[in-house]
């Protein structure tokens, strides 16, 4: 299980990110230009990090859930709820730090609800979280009464658009969550326990792991991450848009996790690789925006690149690759079981 | 809904309706209204304006929310027919599958008025349809830009609506028609912002990077106000002055664009009026009291609003409508 800190540089995902960034540079030569403006970094590369942060944060939570052989379809709706709660509270005159805590608390509660359905009622995760995916957006619309709740609260706006050491706040938040969660799962036994539950829940229980509590924990964490993303997206546009906030982002988050190489069948997982996956997706989105292609091509280009990346990291490609080099290559060994 | 909101709503409607023709012959009539649902702020505003219009004209309005489902609308229309209402308003959720139920309404001799969307059905099945002309909305926006920039060279970036949707296609077409023949105005970049604020902001960030930090952009045209609100924030974040450095023109006339206009950060918006019921009631008034058959397609006005049209007052008048 021991991996060197830089082994990820040899993975196909890293090559994919470099390739996408290189193509962006070909399409738009100023892609790597970064300037200093109004006390913050400014450039397309920063846009990729900034715009990719909400999905990256979702992917951090989603990785833990998927590692337990689950999935959380409700994160997009939880984003909408979190933004709606925070926005309505500050518009109603509540102190902004209470509004932020309330939004995060609601996210945790949503995650616990999912976790309860999965553990106590033993529902399949895809169905259990589908409930909140559908109902959650309705809840958010009820809170905002169907309109966009605009606010001018400095703390919420800072979360969405502020900067720290020149980096946009969403990037800083995503980075802190990435480091924190990676340390939590890799410097303690937590990661191993999660993988054990994901590989075989019954076996893990017989081995003495309280899988129920662990599942509750990962779903609550996914809900918390979704709430953080929801605050960022709301702060970014200075309003809670219950109809569109986080819409379909659960799919982007799952995609990011899959691109990162974590199997949907549970088990071995890597949070940094999922974040890398989110950055690949966003680098593609940003590239399409500045390329000047007509918008009808967006989805075709995106799906083409994603298929390519998934084929590159499939067992088949790994076999071809290792045959070409006439030696087994552990770093590109199949990470997904068929 | 709180009392304060209701009061604000009443005041808002009063201001909006002051210039609209008024149907006073419908006192005591029962009219059924099958609304699609409340998928957008504009839809919510249309519902509140319709209710207020009915109250003003003394109409007993039976309201049915279809929650985006045609079968609910068909059920509601059958319910209205069974209750023997005097007329039916329908905002159809899809364009096909209406022949049978509208035939039933026709057999019961109840006039049907379509609101804001057309349908594929024989024209004799409904009295009239009240809708905006989306191509004209784009054209009005384009004409404003042509008149504003004069002979100067102007590079325009466009924030399109959802790819393939009819408002996106039509508003694009209308704008292109208006700037055709004015070689000094060119659309240099065009991308979809999916009609949302956050996508509008993200796309505009990309445009600014791609066009020399935004210095080459003379104007932004957005297919709706929400995307423009996002784009305005992107311009401000990049250190540009929207409304001064870069002209803005968008469509819908929602409250927040008037707030931006009042702050000098937006230049123009073209109204998609939420008052489809007003012209519908006038048409029904003429038809029920004297048998005057209205035109088959009533087109609402696509009014242009700029900083000269009291944006602050417009904001106050609209913010309670549910946008």
């Amino acid at each position: 299980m021991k991996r060197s800190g830089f082994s990820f540089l040899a993975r196909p995902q890293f090559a994919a990110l470099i390739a996408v960034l290189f193509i962006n540079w070909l399409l738009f030569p100023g892609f790597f230009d970064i300037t200093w403006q109004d006390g913050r970094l400014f450039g397309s590369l920063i846009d990729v990090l900034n715009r990719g942060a909400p999905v990256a944060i979702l992917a951090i939570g989603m990785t833990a859930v998927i590692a337990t052989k689950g999935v959380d379809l409700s994160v997009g709706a939880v984003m909408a709820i979190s933004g709606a709660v925070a926005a309505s509270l500050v518009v109603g005159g509540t102190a902004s730090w209470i509004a932020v805590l309330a939004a995060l608390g609601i996210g945790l509660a949503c995650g616990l609800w999912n976790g309860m359905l999965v553990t106590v009622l033993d529902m399949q995760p895809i169905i259990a979280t589908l409930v909140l995916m559908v109902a959650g957006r309705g809840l958010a619309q009820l809170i905002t009464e169907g309109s966009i709740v605009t606010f001018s609260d400095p703390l919420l706006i800072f979360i969405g658009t502020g900067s720290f050491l020149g980096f946009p706040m969403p990037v800083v938040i995503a980075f802190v969550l990435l480091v924190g969660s990676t340390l939590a799962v890799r410097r303690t036994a937590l990661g191993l326990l999660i993988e054990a539950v994901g590989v075989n829940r019954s076996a893990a229980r017989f081995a003495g792991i309280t899988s129920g509590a662990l599942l509750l924990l990962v779903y609550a964490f996914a809900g918390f991450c979704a709430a953080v993303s929801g605050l960022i997206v709301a702060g970014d546009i200075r309003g809670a848009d219950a109809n569109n906030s986080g819409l379909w982002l659960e799919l982007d988050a799952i995609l990011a996790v899959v691109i990162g190489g974590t199997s949907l069948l549970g088990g071995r997982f890597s949070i940094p690789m999922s974040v890398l996956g989110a950055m690949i997706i966003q680098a593609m989105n940003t590239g399409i925006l500045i390329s000047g292609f007509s918008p009808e091509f967006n989805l075709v280009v995106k799906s083409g690149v994603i298929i390519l990346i998934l084929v590159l990291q499939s067992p088949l490609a790994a076999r071809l690759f290792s045959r070409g080099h006439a030696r087994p290559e552990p770093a590109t060994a199949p990470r997904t079981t068929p | 809904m709180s009392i304060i909101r209701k009061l604000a709503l009443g005041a808002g409607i009063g201001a909006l309706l002051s210039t609209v023709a008024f149907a006073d012959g419908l006192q005591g009539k029962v009219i059924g209204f099958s609304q699609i649902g409340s998928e957008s702020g504009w839809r919510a505003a249309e519902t509140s304006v319709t209710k207020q219009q009915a109250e003003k004209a003394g109409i007993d309005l039976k309201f049915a929310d279809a929650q985006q489902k045609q079968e609910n609308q068909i059920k509601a229309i059958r319910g209205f027919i069974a209750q023997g209402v005097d007329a039916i308003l329908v905002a159809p959720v899809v364009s096909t599958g209406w022949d049978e139920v509208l035939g039933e309404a026709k057999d019961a001799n109840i006039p049907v008025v379509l609101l804001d969307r057309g349908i594929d059905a024989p024209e004799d099945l409904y009295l009239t349809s009240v809708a905006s002309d989306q191509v004209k909305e784009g054209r009005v926006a384009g004409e404003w830009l042509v008149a504003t920039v004069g002979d100067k060279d102007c590079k325009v970036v466009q924030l399109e609506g959802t790819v393939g949707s009819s408002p996106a296609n039509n508003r694009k077409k209308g704008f292109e028609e208006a700037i055709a023949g004015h070689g000094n105005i060119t659309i240099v970049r065009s991308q979809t912002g999916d009609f949302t604020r956050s996508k509008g902001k993200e796309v505009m960030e990309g445009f600014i990077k791609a066009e020399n930090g935004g210095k080459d952009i003379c104007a932004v045209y957005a297919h709706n106000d929400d995307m423009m609100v996002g784009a305005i924030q992107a311009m401000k974040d990049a250190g540009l002055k929207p409304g001064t450095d870069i002209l803005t023109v968008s469509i819908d006339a929602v409250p927040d664009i008037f707030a931006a206009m009042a702050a000098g950060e937006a230049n123009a918006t073209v109204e998609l009026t939420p008052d489809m019921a007003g012209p519908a009631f006038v048409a029904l008034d003429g038809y029920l009291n004297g048998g005057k058959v209205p035109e088959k397609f009533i087109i609402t006005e696509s009014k242009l609003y700029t900083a000269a049209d009291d944006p602050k007052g417009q904001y106050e008048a609209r913010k309670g409508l549910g946008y």
Side-chain angles (χ1 to χ4, degrees):
Chain A
M1 219 55 217
K2 193 114 181 115
R3 294 172 206 154
S4 119
F6 292 98
S7 66
F8 70 92
L9 289 175
R11 303 248 175 86
Q13 290 89 341
F14 200 76
L17 181 62
I18 300 282
V20 171
L21 293 177
F22 179 71
I23 293 169
N24 287 351
W25 176 72
L26 287 183
L27 291 170
F28 172 57
F31 185 77
F32 290 110
D33 294 355
I34 291 178
T35 53
W36 186 264
Q37 187 173 320
D38 304 332
R40 61 165 68 202
L41 295 165
F42 186 82
S44 293
L45 214 50
I46 301 296
D47 281 355
V48 172
L49 291 172
N50 191 24
R51 294 287 150 215
V55 172
I57 292 171
L58 289 183
I60 291 172
M62 187 70 78
T63 309
V65 171
I66 287 180
T68 64
K69 209 175 184 172
V71 71
D72 188 349
L73 294 183
S74 71
V75 288
V78 174
M79 281 177 71
I81 297 177
S82 140
V85 166
S88 329
L89 283 178
V90 293
V91 167
T94 313
S96 43
W97 64 274
I98 296 179
V100 169
L101 286 185
L104 296 178
I106 293 277
L108 270 177
C110 291
L112 281 174
W113 162 263
N114 285 331
M116 205 199 66
L117 292 183
V118 173
T119 53
V120 180
L121 301 184
D122 215 12
M123 284 169 79
Q124 290 192 0
I126 196 165
I127 300 299
T129 56
L130 185 66
V131 174
L132 194 58
M133 174 186 174
V134 177
R137 195 159 293 282
L139 249 165
Q141 285 165 344
L142 273 178
I143 297 170
T144 62
E145 298 184 25
S147 60
I148 300 179
V149 180
T150 1
F151 51 79
S152 52
D153 180 78
L155 178 63
L156 287 183
I157 292 173
F158 179 74
I159 291 174
T161 62
S163 63
F164 180 73
L165 299 177
F167 282 96
M169 265 324 270
V171 180
V172 176
I173 295 171
F175 185 74
V176 168
L177 275 172
L178 166 65
V179 172
S181 58
T182 307
L183 286 180
V185 296
R186 293 298 169 217
R187 289 282 170 256
T188 70
L190 197 58
L192 200 63
L193 300 184
I194 289 173
E195 285 173 358
V197 170
V199 172
N200 191 329
R201 196 168 148 191
S202 313
R205 203 176 59 245
F206 289 133
I209 298 173
T210 46
S211 60
L214 201 70
L215 283 173
L216 272 182
L217 179 78
V218 295
Y219 281 95
F221 179 58
F224 174 81
C225 288
V228 174
S229 278
L231 284 174
I232 289 175
V233 168
D236 182 40
I237 59 166
R238 302 172 184 216
D241 184 351
N243 294 332
N244 299 304
S245 167
L247 192 63
W248 309 129
L249 283 196
E250 57 279 343
L251 298 182
D252 272 11
I254 294 170
L255 183 64
V257 174
V258 171
I259 290 179
T262 300
S263 164
L264 288 176
L265 294 170
R268 210 158 80 154
F269 69 98
S270 165
I271 291 175
M273 292 307 288
S274 297
V275 171
L276 194 68
M279 289 306 147
I280 293 176
I281 297 174
Q282 187 56 43
M284 231 160 27
N285 286 342
T286 305
I288 290 170
L289 287 186
I290 53 177
S291 66
F293 289 145
S294 103
E296 285 79 6
F297 289 104
N298 290 6
L299 299 176
V300 180
V301 171
K302 217 173 139 176
S303 53
V305 175
I306 286 165
I307 290 172
L308 197 68
I309 295 172
L310 293 182
V311 166
L312 278 179
Q313 51 169 305
S314 68
L316 175 76
R319 263 203 311 280
L320 290 176
F321 187 70
S322 59
R323 194 177 301 154
H325 285 251
R327 68 187 168 89
E329 177 70 72
T332 54
R335 296 180 48 77
T336 51
T337 36
Chain B
M1 197 187 285
S2 71
I3 297 285
I4 296 180
R5 247 193 103 138
K6 269 193 180 149
L7 286 176
L9 190 72
I13 308 278
L16 267 186
L17 300 187
S18 51
T19 56
V20 175
F22 187 60
D24 50 4
L26 292 174
Q27 192 80 32
K29 296 277 190 220
V30 181
I31 294 180
F33 175 28
S34 171
Q35 174 64 292
I36 294 177
S38 52
E39 82 283 0
S40 65
W42 182 85
R43 185 74 54 197
E46 184 192 39
T47 301
S48 21
V49 172
T50 304
K51 285 179 176 170
Q52 294 286 327
Q53 281 277 31
E55 201 171 310
K56 218 172 166 187
I59 295 166
D60 180 7
L61 189 78
K62 306 274 185 209
F63 178 74
D65 183 329
Q67 300 184 326
Q68 329 292 330
K69 290 205 175 78
Q70 188 180 26
E71 63 258 36
N72 290 347
Q73 289 205 296
I74 291 174
K75 254 186 253 165
I77 295 171
R78 293 220 165 104
F80 293 146
I81 296 171
Q83 291 169 39
V85 297
D86 296 300
I88 296 172
L89 306 180
V90 188
V93 62
V94 292
S95 59
T96 52
W98 297 102
D99 298 38
E100 196 181 323
V101 69
L102 293 189
E104 290 166 28
K106 190 179 157 77
D107 291 343
N109 226 351
I110 299 173
V112 174
V113 178
L114 306 175
L115 297 189
D116 69 73
R117 294 188 188 184
I119 58 171
D120 296 332
E123 287 185 7
D124 63 324
L125 289 180
Y126 52 91
L127 180 67
T128 178
S129 85
V130 181
S132 69
D133 181 345
Q134 293 165 337
V135 178
K136 188 172 142 206
E137 289 162 358
R139 209 180 301 130
V140 171
E143 282 161 1
W144 174 83
L145 189 66
V146 168
T148 306
V149 297
D151 300 332
K152 279 185 296 179
D153 280 338
C154 186
K155 285 186 179 173
V156 183
V157 296
Q158 178 174 232
L159 298 168
E160 298 183 27
T162 307
V163 176
S165 68
S166 70
N169 291 342
N170 293 334
R171 287 171 175 181
K172 184 177 179 175
K173 186 168 163 236
F175 187 81
E176 282 169 355
E177 279 173 17
I179 61 168
H182 297 271
N184 56 324
I185 302 175
T186 46
I187 299 176
V188 289
R189 279 179 188 270
S190 190
Q191 252 296 342
T192 175
D194 274 335
F195 285 127
T196 68
R197 273 190 205 195
S198 48
K199 287 286 261 176
K201 184 171 180 184
E202 183 179 346
V203 172
M204 191 64 201
E205 280 176 358
F207 284 168
I208 290 171
K209 305 290 177 333
E211 294 294 329
N212 190 18
K215 291 181 198 70
D216 295 350
I217 303 172
C218 140
V220 191
Y221 166 50
H223 290 181
N224 79 345
D225 287 340
D226 273 330
M227 290 191 289
M228 186 59 88
V229 170
I232 286 171
Q233 286 171 9
M235 289 184 255
K236 279 160 68 181
D237 287 352
L240 298 161
K241 284 199 188 69
T244 326
D245 295 345
I246 297 179
L247 299 171
T248 82
V249 56
S250 48
I251 297 171
D252 274 358
V254 304
D256 283 340
I257 200 73
F258 285 109
M261 216 182 267
E265 292 167 351
N267 300 105
T269 184
V270 181
E271 182 179 46
L272 167 61
T273 177
D275 182 26
M276 300 279 169
F281 289 152
V282 171
L284 282 171
D285 189 9
Y287 181 73
L288 294 173
N289 304 315
K292 198 172 131 234
V293 178
E295 287 176 64
K296 208 75 213 176
F297 299 99
I298 300 173
I299 305 294
T300 56
E301 192 191 356
S302 299
K303 189 169 186 290
L304 179 80
Y305 287 88
T306 62
D309 297 295
D310 182 24
K312 208 163 171 50
Q314 286 294 335
Y315 172 74
E316 294 296 332
R318 284 161 199 269
K319 72 175 179 186
L321 291 177
Y323 276 110

